[in-house]
Amino acid sequence: MTTGMEGLEVDALSITYPIGQGPFRPRLELKAVREVSLSIAPGKTLGVVGESGCGKSTLARGILRLQRPDGGTVRWNGQSISDLTDDEFRHVRPEMQMVFQDPLASLNPRMRVADIIAEPLVTHRPELSGSKRQALVAKAMERVGLLPDMARRFPHEFSGGQAQRIGIARAIVLEPGLLICDEAVSALDVSIRAQVLVLLEELQQTLGLAILFISHDLAVVRYIAHEVMVLYLGRVVEHAERDTLFANPKHPYTQALIGSVLSKDPEIERSHEVPRIGGELPSPIDPPSGCPFNTRCPLVQPICRQTMPALVVQPDGSQVACHVVEAQKAA
Amino acid sequence: MHQPLLDVRNLSVRFQTAGAPVIAVDNISFSVSQGEVLGVVGESGSGKSQTFMALGGLLASNGETTGEALLEGHDLLALSDRELDHIRGQKISYIFQDPMTALNPFRSVAAQMTELLRLHRGLGQARARTEALRLLERVRVPDARRRLDAYPHELSGGMRQRVMIAMALSNQPRLLIADEPTTALDVTVQIQVLDILDELRREENLAVVLITHDMGVVARLAHRIMVVYAGTIAEEGEAEDVLLRPSHPYTAGLLASMPDLAAPLTQLQPIRGYPPDGRKARIGCMFAPRCFKVQPVCRDVTPALEARVSRQRQACHFPLEPRDTAIAGGAS
């Protein structure tokens, strides 16, 4: 099935990991992603935030078919890629590229920089001549700010920031339409992180990239993303335009996350009231019944322990899954 | 100002390698007082961790130290291993970034804590267990009695870090060195752990050294801040002065590189280039190749750390005035 929509569309994606398999162990399921829907148009960035274990990375793996979903569809430029055979998917895959967290660990230490960046071309465009391939590699290196004389060097000769530029060059050499950045700047030093964020912005403008930007750092997400989605135990609890979300967060979890971010201004930080959010993330293997956030929520009501709240569109266009928000609207 | 608890003078740390030696810390001097949090800010390879590893005799075997580090009159760098063991066991504790690798996965929290209490304070098994429980409650571990018998993998990251802090308190230290204590934690947990450290500082009159790359962490806790670059102190002063009116172009650049939820959204202004290689010759200001105010003299003459334009000290020939700071996009 195709729709006219350009860019990425994900509809009700669910991913489950079977765990504890073995003759004497109970078969358990970890529902890592539950009915997540999103869309990203070319030139736009969707930020996905949440704490460790909320399903951010599994979502990325599901979109790239690195993990088999047990429900939902993923469409790229209107074409469903969920039903494709692996062979058919191979023709779509160059359109979708990923940048990882640990730049050095994601580069083969025994390959030279030029060969690392050329590898996607060798796999996906074997018909290219050597000189054409070299030209594309040189162009990708220039785009990410690597000097031509670095092409013959090995990854260990680079700092983390430069290594991440190599990782980004490898991701854009096929001129993809979608870039998935999974904590792509988290391991970088502050001064280098800013360089890479600015680089991603520039590349998005030049190449019209749709970017799925996964991060635990809310300040970074506010900087780079046009829209933001908040995940908790694999479910979307809030999804809104960037400015709406940060100016007027509605879900108590989003409020707690934003309220926990430290400011570099000591006058603000010293009087910073800590949000009252109890405990820690419950086990995703045995999630609480009802709203997944009910064990920590400062506003919890009896209904929250019984019924899963639906994701409801709010008057300002944001989507929020919270019984208390709905009750306040009705009142 | 009263006598500092720790007074470090002309500390240098170098590592012998197969090639040229790496200078990790280059002749730095600073002090920490009781009841004070000193924030040490810098990026990877700046020498911020090696400075404090050197004080505890925790450098890798190819590390060499020169200078003095006086803790209540004892020079930590001149002590024999045995004497250092004694002082360290009595007065200094460390907390590291990753509690999972610092805890023994095969032993329960109780076993690891009572071992320290028996070793450092000579307590018997029963009293050590009572004391371990008290320390866990001290760092606000909920349901501490049950968690005492847990193994590290049964605890969340935040709980493990609280256990590490409780263990760090077991020798009743005067100086607590916390190296990126909240970097591996989720944001909602980070702030809880930072506030426990501050409470301990206040109630036990501890001196705390808080090593971090995160300006938000020092903004919350630190009284004084020392910004470290390439093994030297770039800027040192009161937290408010350093964060709101940075005088060194590196500090201003770091602040302008960090988006802040509490400030209006503005374009990031990254520092150009990369930090220097520790094996390179040290001539002039180490930040000169990346500095937007660089002049010829910066490449030849190493600037001393002194107060030129403001209350804080800066190692810069052309420090920023408050109005320049706005231009550099520094403090918001």
Side-chain angles (χ1 to χ4, degrees), chain A residues 50-53 56 144-146 150 159-162 165 186-198 201 216-224 242-243 246 253 256-275 277-281 296, chain B residues 42-45 48 156-159 162 183-192 194-195 213-223 239-240 243-245 250 253-275 290 329-332:
Chain A
E51 294 173 287
S52 351
K56 309 187 287 282
V144 300
L146 291 171
M150 295 172 172
S159 65
Q162 287 169 316
R165 286 177 194 265
S186 305
L188 304 179
D189 273 319
V190 175
S191 71
I192 307 302
R193 180 188 304 167
Q195 291 177 358
V196 173
L197 287 172
V198 169
E201 280 183 309
H216 69 284
D217 186 332
L218 276 85
V220 164
V221 165
R222 184 181 72 149
Y223 182 77
I224 194 102
R242 183 251 323 266
D243 292 340
F246 285 102
Y253 179 60
L257 271 186
I258 292 176
S260 300
V261 176
L262 302 175
S263 168
K264 63 190 175 192
D265 182 332
E267 284 165 6
I268 294 174
E269 202 37 61
R270 303 257 151 101
S271 56
H272 179 172
E273 281 281 326
V274 183
I277 163 169
E280 298 187 8
L281 204 67
R296 303 170 73 190
Chain B
E43 300 181 271
S44 334
K48 61 186 192 301
S156 67
M159 280 309 139
R162 284 173 211 233
T183 304
L185 304 178
D186 281 319
V187 283
T188 54
V189 181
Q190 157 168 287
I191 211 159
Q192 297 165 6
L194 286 178
D195 288 354
H213 68 282
D214 187 339
M215 290 291 191
V217 167
V218 288
R220 187 165 184 86
L221 237 53
H223 302 102
E240 275 77 4
L243 293 173
L244 298 176
R245 294 169 289 279
Y250 176 60
L254 271 187
L255 287 163
S257 295
M258 230 187 109
D260 189 337
L261 279 192
L265 196 55
T266 51
Q267 183 66 33
L268 288 181
Q269 300 184 27
I271 305 172
R272 63 187 178 185
Y274 302 96
R290 304 178 71 188
S332 47

Side-chain angles (χ1 to χ4, degrees), chain A residues 64-84:
Chain A
L64 290 179
R65 303 216 324 181
L66 297 171
Q67 193 68 45
R68 178 197 283 277
D70 47 72
T73 52
V74 177
R75 275 191 290 275
W76 174 247
N77 287 340
Q79 182 191 15
S80 168
I81 58 171
S82 306
D83 320 320
L84 299 181

Side-chain angles (χ1 to χ4, degrees), chain A residues 4 23 29 33 40 46 49 71 82 96 133 158 176 183 227 250 260 315 325:
Chain A
E29 286 187 333
V33 171
I40 314 174
L46 172 69
V49 299
S82 306
M96 316 167 99
R133 199 156 64 214
F158 293 88
E183 300 280 6
E227 266 179 56
K250 295 179 190 63
S260 300
V325 169

Side-chain angles (χ1 to χ4, degrees), chain A residues 92-119:
Chain A
V92 185
R93 189 62 174 72
E95 285 283 302
M96 316 167 99
Q97 294 296 321
M98 191 146 172
V99 181
F100 299 94
Q101 171 168 1
D102 187 342
L104 280 171
S106 68
L107 304 176
N108 184 336
R110 296 171 60 166
M111 285 171 74
R112 293 179 194 275
V113 167
D115 298 329
I116 290 172
I117 299 172
E119 207 174 20

